[in-house]
Amino acid sequence: MVSVNGSKLVVNPPETFVWGYKTPYTVAVKTDKGIDIKTQNKTVKTVAAADISNDTVPSAYVTDKDLKAWYNDSDVGDQIGLDFSLSSFSDGRNSVPPSNIVNFFGNDTVKYMSEYPSGAPVMVYNSATNQNVLGSANSALDGYAEYDNNLRAENAKTFVKAWNNTIVPPHTSASGKDTVTFVGVYDPEEGGYPSHGTCPPGRALRAAVMEAGCPLPSGMDSGYFSVSLDANPSTGIKVYNPTPYPLKIVMWTSGNGVGMPIFAQAIQYTP
């Protein structure tokens, strides 16, 4: 990173860990007739509702199917991110526009960005030489006769996919991926379709990160039913890392169906 020291320009090597935040750069704003595409708050294109597609609205983050669904469900003035920069870096460097992210930080950074919601912290540099497991936990998918346990097993695996390989920088909060979809499981008592099956992996995640020194994640409860009913099991949960080093969440399963073991680890990177 180039910085100014007095009257001189100084080239500094990166710190051990550098992270920024996924920040909207180009957005689509709904109008009464279609969408306005804005880059850095400047309208660069207007597209009629009938013409919305990935040809007219190119995006590496949103498919035309998702864009059309958003348009049909949104209100005039609502916006959705089409392209993203990285900003508010931990070492104070300038924001990096989308065109430079691959050149500066590689394809893996863009892939990570594509899986997580706007505002997510993104580790762009990590020269750690040690990885230590600070928290480890496991649970199992229990069975309920009144629910569809096959769907519950699907949700449990989706939860694991949503959180596996999530990195939480120091003194920062992070959620799971927003590229996963949970299925509704009919609840005869509630009469609705909650994302049943996410509590067993939620218990493993909660135990692992709390053993690593994190507080109870927001969007989670402390009891047997770990995921709050009103929280999305991925983006609606946030893990806060109070330690001075990044934490990586690793989750996996073994087998299928009722009784399926679920595992979670919180791994700390240190110099």
Side-chain angles (χ1 to χ4, degrees), residues 185-265:
V185 180
Y186 179 66
D187 189 322
E189 292 186 7
E190 300 290 335
Y193 290 83
S195 301
H196 284 316
T198 59
C199 282
R203 289 193 292 272
L205 170 68
R206 181 185 63 192
V209 299
M210 292 185 72
E211 185 177 328
C214 301
L216 176 69
S218 62
M220 302 197 81
D221 295 323
S222 58
Y224 187 74
F225 300 106
S226 59
V227 179
S228 302
L229 279 177
D230 58 350
N232 180 290
S234 182
T235 58
I237 294 174
K238 287 194 173 183
V239 173
Y240 177 73
N241 175 12
T243 76
Y245 300 111
L247 290 175
K248 180 179 181 179
I249 295 168
V250 176
M251 297 192 72
W252 69 98
T253 62
S254 177
N256 299 282
V258 173
M260 175 178 66
I262 304 164
F263 305 91
Q265 289 182 337

Side-chain angles (χ1 to χ4, degrees), residues 28-32 34-36 70-72 74-79:
V29 181
K30 182 172 180 176
T31 67
D32 56 352
I35 58 174
D36 287 339
W70 164 81
Y71 182 85
N72 292 331
S74 61
D75 297 320
V76 171
D78 288 350
Q79 65 180 41

Side-chain angles (χ1 to χ4, degrees), residues 10-263:
V10 179
V11 179
N12 298 309
E15 298 176 359
T16 306
F17 308 105
V18 180
W19 65 93
Y21 291 83
K22 181 180 176 181
T23 306
Y25 188 83
T26 298
V27 299
V29 181
K30 182 172 180 176
T31 67
D32 56 352
K33 295 181 179 179
I35 58 174
D36 287 339
I37 300 175
K38 296 186 176 184
T39 297
Q40 299 288 272
N41 294 320
K42 181 180 179 181
T43 300
V44 296
K45 189 177 184 180
T46 297
V47 179
D51 296 331
I52 294 175
S53 71
N54 278 147
D55 292 327
T56 57
V57 190
S59 173
Y61 293 88
V62 184
T63 66
D64 53 1
K65 179 181 178 182
D66 291 337
L67 190 59
K68 290 175 182 177
W70 164 81
Y71 182 85
N72 292 331
D73 294 338
S74 61
D75 297 320
V76 171
D78 288 350
Q79 65 180 41
I80 185 172
L82 301 177
D83 209 354
F84 295 85
S85 62
L86 284 170
S87 64
S88 302
F89 282 93
S90 56
D91 62 354
R93 69 180 64 199
N94 292 338
S95 297
V96 176
S99 58
N100 286 336
I101 292 176
V102 171
N103 291 335
F104 290 175
F105 307 122
N107 287 311
D108 287 346
T109 295
V110 175
K111 182 178 184 301
Y112 190 95
M113 289 176 64
S114 71
E115 294 179 326
Y116 288 83
S118 178
V122 180
M123 189 73 65
V124 299
Y125 185 76
N126 181 354
S127 63
T129 55
N130 299 299
Q131 297 185 41
N132 302 303
V133 178
L134 294 190
S136 182
N138 63 81
S139 61
L141 183 71
D142 40 6
Y144 290 88
E146 64 271 31
Y147 302 139
D148 186 326
N149 286 305
N150 290 326
L151 293 181
R152 291 180 65 251
E154 181 179 339
N155 279 338
K157 289 192 171 185
T158 300
F159 186 103
V160 169
K161 180 181 178 181
W163 283 94
N164 186 41
N165 291 325
T166 295
I167 296 178
V168 191
H171 309 296
T172 303
S173 294
S175 71
K177 302 176 179 72
D178 68 352
T179 52
V180 299
T181 301
F182 295 92
V183 297
V185 180
Y186 179 66
D187 189 322
E189 292 186 7
E190 300 290 335
Y193 290 83
S195 301
H196 284 316
T198 59
C199 282
R203 289 193 292 272
L205 170 68
R206 181 185 63 192
V209 299
M210 292 185 72
E211 185 177 328
C214 301
L216 176 69
S218 62
M220 302 197 81
D221 295 323
S222 58
Y224 187 74
F225 300 106
S226 59
V227 179
S228 302
L229 279 177
D230 58 350
N232 180 290
S234 182
T235 58
I237 294 174
K238 287 194 173 183
V239 173
Y240 177 73
N241 175 12
T243 76
Y245 300 111
L247 290 175
K248 180 179 181 179
I249 295 168
V250 176
M251 297 192 72
W252 69 98
T253 62
S254 177
N256 299 282
V258 173
M260 175 178 66
I262 304 164
F263 305 91

